[in-house]
Amino acid sequence: MSQASSSSHADAPTRHDWTLDEIEALFALPFNDLLFQAQQVHRMHFDANAVQVSTLLSIKTGACPEDCKYCPQSGHYNTGLDKEKLLEIDKVVEQARAAKDAGASRFCMGAAWRSPRERDLGVVLEMVSRVKALGLETCMTLGMLDGTQAERLAAAGLDYYNHNLDTSPEFYGDIITTRTYADRLETLGHVRQAGMKVCSGGILGMGEAPRDRAGLLQQLARLDPHPESVPINMLVKVPGTPLENIDDLDPLDFVRAIAVARILMPKSHVRLSAGREQMDDATQALAFLAGANSIFYGDRLLTTENPQVERDRALFARLGLHPERTETCHDDTAQQTILDAAMARRQADDTLFYDAASVH
C-alpha cells in the first residue's frame, strides 16, 4: 500500500501534521482510488446523503479597500458594482426568515470591510441575535477581527466566523497585497479563542500551481482543531478584475481538491461553494461523491450568481440527497458555558502555521 493510501485510511486518527509531499501524493492518486478513499472517510463521520444548506446575504456591498484580485467588491477595480450601505436589521431578518423557509439551516452575512468599525458593530451584533432567534445557525464574514471584536460577536451568539486563507502562502502575494497571510491566521486565532466555530477555505482556479492547492489544504489541515466548515470555491471570473481572463480550472482537478480536503479534514463540513453556477450537474455530483457535504443555497453569493433553488432541489432529488438538519442552541446557560470555556483557553496559543519567508 502506498504512503498516501496508508496514511489516509478511513479509520486513521485525525492529523494536523500532513506534509506537502503526502498531500501531493494524494492528489496524484488515480481518480477512482482518490474518490474511494474520500468516500470511505466521509462515511465514517457523516451521513453520506445529507448536505448542510446555508444561505449567504451581502449586508454591505462594494468599495472594499482590499485589493484581492478575484473580488468584484474591491474598490481597486471597476466592475460596475455599486457601493451600498449596511442593510437595515429588519431587512436582514426578513431575508433570514425566507432562507429558513426555503430549507437553509445556516444564515451567513457578509460585509465588504477590511475590518468592522465600532459604529457598525452594534448593528451587526443585533443582526446576529435576531437571526439566531429564528432558529438558524449564524455565520458572518466582516474582514479582520481583533480579540475584543471576536468576543463580542461570540457573546451575541455568532456560531461561525468565515475568514478564508484563499490560497497557499507562496502564491498569496500574487493575489493580495493589502493584508498578509499572518493577518488572516491571527483573525482565525481570535475567532477560535472567543469560542466560535471557524469557517475557512480558499479559491481554486486563480492561476495557482497544483502545489499551491496542496499548500492551501496543508495550512487548513494544520489548524488545530480543523475548521468546522471548509468552503472550496471555484473562481468566478468577473469582468474588471485582474483575473477575468485567467484559464479555466479543469473540473476534475477541482473534484480532486474536494476529495483531498475530505481526507485531510475528516470531520469538517466541506462546502461546495462559489462557482457552482458554472458547474454542470455531473461535476457537482462528483464533488458530493468526493466528500462535499455543504452548499450555499439561493440565487446569489454576495455579488455573483448561484444556482437557482429549484435547480438545487431537482439535483438533490436526482441524487437522493437531503438537507442536513442542525439543532441550534438557544439556552443562555449552555451558551455561557461555551464562552466561559473559550475564555479559559484565552492564554493558550492556537496552532497557526504559515511560511513567513514566502509572504510578500
Side-chain angles (χ1 to χ4, degrees):
M1 182 177 291
S2 70
Q3 182 181 22
S5 298
S6 62
S7 63
S8 60
H9 193 270
D11 59 2
T14 299
R15 293 178 54 189
H16 303 275
D17 61 349
W18 291 90
T19 68
L20 271 177
D21 287 344
E22 288 178 306
I23 297 171
E24 288 188 302
L26 288 173
F27 271 103
L29 286 171
F31 189 73
N32 287 346
D33 292 348
L34 176 60
L35 263 62
F36 179 68
Q37 286 197 33
Q39 183 66 200
Q40 284 182 299
V41 172
H42 188 57
R43 288 174 179 270
M44 287 286 293
H45 301 284
F46 293 99
D47 176 348
N49 298 308
V51 178
Q52 191 276 321
V53 176
S54 298
T55 293
L56 176 60
L57 174 69
S58 178
I59 60 173
K60 187 272 177 187
T61 302
C64 181
E66 306 285 9
D67 67 354
C68 309
K69 290 184 178 179
Y70 54 80
C71 187
Q73 300 205 66
S74 172
H76 294 257
Y77 318 122
N78 182 14
T79 63
L81 186 69
D82 293 330
K83 177 182 178 181
E84 298 177 4
K85 296 180 180 179
L86 185 64
L87 284 182
E88 296 176 1
I89 295 173
D90 287 344
K91 291 183 178 179
V92 173
V93 174
E94 178 183 347
Q95 291 290 319
R97 186 176 290 109
K100 182 180 180 183
D101 291 343
S105 61
R106 186 181 307 164
F107 192 70
C108 305
M109 296 158 274
W113 290 325
R114 177 176 172 82
S115 59
R117 296 171 294 189
E118 180 59 34
R119 71 186 188 192
D120 296 318
L121 192 56
V123 177
V124 166
L125 296 174
E126 180 67 16
M127 288 178 185
V128 170
S129 61
R130 289 186 58 182
V131 170
K132 191 166 180 75
L134 298 176
L136 287 162
E137 287 186 319
T138 53
C139 179
M140 280 196 159
T141 178
L142 311 171
M144 294 184 292
L145 297 179
D146 61 30
T148 299
Q149 290 170 328
E151 289 168 8
R152 291 174 68 186
L153 286 165
L158 189 63
D159 297 299
Y160 287 81
Y161 193 80
N162 167 257
H163 201 64
N164 289 336
L165 295 181
D166 285 348
T167 189
S168 70
E170 293 78 9
F171 190 62
Y172 181 85
D174 292 334
I175 301 299
I176 302 156
T177 67
T178 49
R179 77 173 80 169
T180 68
Y181 217 79
D183 290 334
R184 290 179 181 266
L185 289 168
E186 183 178 42
T187 288
L188 293 179
H190 293 319
V191 169
R192 187 63 81 188
Q193 289 171 352
M196 291 182 286
K197 296 174 182 177
V198 168
C199 175
S200 188
I203 305 171
L204 308 185
M206 297 191 293
E208 74 281 352
R211 190 171 179 85
D212 292 311
R213 291 170 217 143
L216 165 66
L217 295 181
Q218 182 192 39
Q219 294 294 320
L220 294 167
R222 281 185 165 182
L223 295 175
D224 189 0
H226 292 152
E228 285 80 4
S229 183
V230 181
I232 305 295
N233 300 273
M234 176 85 85
L235 175 69
V236 177
K237 294 184 282 189
V238 178
T241 63
L243 300 181
E244 64 173 306
N245 295 315
I246 203 80
D247 290 340
D248 290 340
L249 181 69
D250 185 334
L252 294 184
D253 287 339
F254 182 84
V255 174
R256 282 184 177 276
I258 293 284
V260 174
R262 168 53 63 218
I263 292 168
L264 300 187
M265 294 167 280
K267 298 179 182 179
S268 302
H269 280 83
V270 177
R271 178 176 296 144
L272 184 58
S273 199
R276 283 205 305 129
E277 178 70 17
Q278 288 74 45
M279 297 178 195
D280 60 23
D281 288 352
T283 300
Q284 293 190 60
L286 282 174
F288 291 127
L289 181 63
N293 63 337
S294 177
I295 63 167
F296 277 124
Y297 188 66
D299 296 340
R300 297 186 69 80
L301 285 184
L302 294 180
T303 59
T304 59
E305 296 301 318
N306 196 43
Q308 299 287 332
V309 168
E310 290 305 318
R311 176 185 164 191
D312 283 337
R313 287 176 175 167
L315 180 61
F316 272 35
R318 290 168 63 199
L319 298 178
L321 302 176
H322 58 86
E324 177 184 278
R325 291 297 176 185
T326 304
E327 297 297 327
T328 57
C329 174
H330 300 290
D331 184 274
D332 290 340
T333 301
Q335 179 70 15
Q336 189 59 49
T337 299
I338 294 171
L339 294 175
D340 289 346
M343 292 303 100
R345 298 194 304 268
R346 189 84 171 112
Q347 301 303 317
D349 290 332
D350 274 9
T351 306
L352 303 175
F353 289 80
Y354 78 113
D355 181 0
S358 69
V359 177
H360 301 290

